[in-house]
């Protein structure tokens, strides 16, 4: 099978012919149909904990079950599945406490080899998942069956962007009727945050975004106000739009530590800040100490929207099927597997909102 492999840190992706390892008792072989390209994958290219080269990149996919290990009970060959970036094991310290979003498999799991090269050299899967490939070797707990009429290129969005944002808006920040919201960064995640906040009943949704075309796109998706940081102090502008208070909930989706500080300061006293953007591992956030100590703002950290894939992804799929959120509006382009590197560069360079890989092409 073909896969887009990171041969070494900071090296270009190379499409290689690999042999998938045979499934263990609790493994599932999935034929990938569509893969959401995530900016996190571009961080995996750099030296750090997200990949162990040679590695197949990618942590999200929609596909069809091809084969199952002897002890697998949740899915059968032919089932449509979403392969999630969050493989909550169900058995570790965090999973035992209902905190599968912090599962040890995600942050401390062993390097997982899923394939071998012609010379027998093992190839790992980034994040234990590795979806830039025709065939995936996934643990049973890392996927969920979803019966849906959604096309694969939309279903795969539930394995990263759409689910992260819906989880953050509905589950983490609990945005509700009449709320005010600010979304910093109107890219792939930001677009879903804006749509989700409107669906949740937010009456004011302020999007802060330096790129003009992205501002126009989120306006069309429901942002009530769009701000260009080049036009002056965005914290002041957000406060001006909210009676001087700041918003009930702010989301940082720009992947910039300095923007986290702005998002914190644009939140009202007692409000909620949800930081979602990824940046360099060495980056730090410098918050005003007394405001942090006294003003009642909550910073709610989350991972993949803290979704419970079995409970949440099927119902999120129904929300998309019902047309309450628009996946077509955020997918700009599909790429064949051979152009995985190009797709990743386009996503990382903010040339487009969402790139989807079609590994069968
Ligand atoms: Zn992702
Ligand atoms: Zn776990």
């Amino acid at each position: 099978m073909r896969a887009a492999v990171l041969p070494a840190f900071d090296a270009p992706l190379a499409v290689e012919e690999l042999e998938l390892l045979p499934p263990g008792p609790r493994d599932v072989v999935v034929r990938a149909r569509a893969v959401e390209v995530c900016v996190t994958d571009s961080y995996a290219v750099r030296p750090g904990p997200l990949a162990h080269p040679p590695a197949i990149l990618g942590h999200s996919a929609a596909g069809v079950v091809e084969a199952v290990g002897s002890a697998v009970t949740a899915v059968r060959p032919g089932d449509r599945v979403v392969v999630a970036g969050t493989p909550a094991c169900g058995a570790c310290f965090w999973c035992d406490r209902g905190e599968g979003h912090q599962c040890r498999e995600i942050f401390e799991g062993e390097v997982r080899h899923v394939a071998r090269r012609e010379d027998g050299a093992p190839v790992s899967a980034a994040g234990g998942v590795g979806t830039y490939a025709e065939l995936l070797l996934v643990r049973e707990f890392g996927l969920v069956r979803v019966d849906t009429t959604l096309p694969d290129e939309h279903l795969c969005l539930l394995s990263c962007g759409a689910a992260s944002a819906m989880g953050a808006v509905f589950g983490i920040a609990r945005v509700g009727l009449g709320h005010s919201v600010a979304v910093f960064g109107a890219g792939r995640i930001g677009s879903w945050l804006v749509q989700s906040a409107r669906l949740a009943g937010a009456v004011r949704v302020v999007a802060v975004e330096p790129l003009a075309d992205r501002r126009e796109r989120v306006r069309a998706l429901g942002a009530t106000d769009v701000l260009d940081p080049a036009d002056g102090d965005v914290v002041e502008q957000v406060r001006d739009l909210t009676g001087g208070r700041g918003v009930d909930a702010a989301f940082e989706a720009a992947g910039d530590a300095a923007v986290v500080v702005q998002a914190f300061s644009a939140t009202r006293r007692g409000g909620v800040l949800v930081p979602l953007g990824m940046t360099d591992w060495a980056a730090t956030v410098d918050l005003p100490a007394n405001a942090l100590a006294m003003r009642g703002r909550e910073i709610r950290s989350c991972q993949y929207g803290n979704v419970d894939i079995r409970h949440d992804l099927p119902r999120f799929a129904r929300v998309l099927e019902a047309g309450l959120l628009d996946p077509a509006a955020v997918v700009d382009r599909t790429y064949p597997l051979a152009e995985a590197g190009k797709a990743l560069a386009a996503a990382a360079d903010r040339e487009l909102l969402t790139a989807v890989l079609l590994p069968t092409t």
Side-chain angles (χ1 to χ4, degrees):
M1 65 107 178
R2 292 177 313 142
V5 175
L6 177 72
F9 282 126
D10 292 322
L13 297 190
V15 174
E16 298 185 20
E17 189 66 37
L18 303 174
E19 184 190 346
L20 196 73
L21 299 184
R26 296 213 166 271
D27 288 337
V28 178
V29 178
V30 175
R31 185 163 294 277
R33 290 264 185 84
V35 171
E36 182 178 13
V37 175
C38 173
V39 77
T40 303
D41 301 333
S42 67
Y43 287 101
V45 171
R46 305 177 199 174
L50 295 177
H52 301 271
I56 303 170
L57 292 194
H59 59 271
S60 85
V64 175
V65 173
E66 183 107 343
V68 297
S70 57
V72 168
T73 56
V75 293
R76 292 188 301 195
D79 284 349
R80 289 186 81 192
V81 290
V82 173
V83 176
T86 303
C89 74
C92 72
F93 176 93
W94 286 272
C95 286
D96 277 350
R97 285 155 182 76
E99 298 169 6
H101 50 88
Q102 298 300 316
C103 176
R104 78 171 294 283
E105 287 294 331
I106 305 167
F107 296 104
E108 304 156 53
E110 284 85 44
V111 178
R112 192 157 175 273
H113 293 108
V114 296
R116 63 170 80 96
R117 285 172 161 160
E118 217 169 28
D119 64 4
V123 177
S124 70
V129 186
T131 53
Y132 290 10
E134 290 174 320
L135 290 175
L136 318 177
L137 187 64
V138 183
R139 289 161 294 183
E140 184 180 18
F141 59 70
L143 52 69
V144 59
R145 191 183 94 193
V146 180
D147 299 320
T148 177
T149 56
L150 290 172
D152 294 307
E153 58 267 37
H154 293 166
L155 182 60
C156 75
L157 307 176
L158 292 179
S159 54
C160 180
S164 297
M166 291 164 82
V169 166
F170 293 97
I172 307 298
R174 293 193 282 279
V175 173
L177 295 175
H179 285 190
S180 57
V181 165
V183 174
F184 288 77
R188 183 176 61 101
I189 300 285
S191 302
W192 285 109
L193 290 168
V194 166
Q195 291 195 68
S196 300
R198 289 294 279 176
L199 180 61
V203 292
R204 181 137 241 161
V205 179
V206 184
V208 181
E209 168 59 48
L211 299 177
D213 63 317
R214 292 188 167 195
R215 287 198 299 275
E216 289 320 304
R217 287 179 75 169
V218 286
R219 195 195 287 281
L221 290 172
T224 56
D225 305 270
V226 291
L227 303 178
D228 179 355
D231 288 343
D233 186 333
V234 290
V235 174
E236 285 306 315
Q237 292 184 69
V238 171
R239 286 186 182 154
D240 287 346
L241 290 167
T242 50
R245 291 183 299 274
V247 288
D248 297 308
F251 298 86
E252 196 282 334
D256 181 331
V259 176
V260 178
V261 181
Q262 292 176 352
F264 176 83
S265 300
T267 308
R268 68 166 171 82
R269 295 198 306 278
V272 176
L273 166 64
V274 183
L276 293 161
M278 284 285 293
T279 184
D280 293 320
W281 293 95
T284 58
V285 173
D286 191 11
L287 292 175
N290 287 348
L292 184 63
M294 296 172 60
R295 297 205 171 140
R297 296 181 180 98
E298 286 183 50
I299 300 174
R300 296 186 189 159
S301 171
C302 61
Q303 199 276 122
Y304 187 36
N306 290 6
V307 300
D308 170 342
I309 62 169
R310 256 155 275 286
H311 175 64
D312 289 321
L313 298 196
R315 67 191 184 122
F316 288 177
R318 290 197 292 278
V319 170
L320 300 191
E321 281 172 4
L324 297 174
L325 299 174
D326 184 2
V330 302
V331 175
D332 300 276
R333 211 178 138 181
T334 58
Y335 292 82
L337 185 63
E339 293 183 5
K342 205 168 145 188
L344 186 54
D349 295 343
R350 306 181 180 206
E351 279 171 32
L352 39 67
L353 282 188
T354 308
V356 170
L357 276 184
L358 302 177
T360 53
T361 62

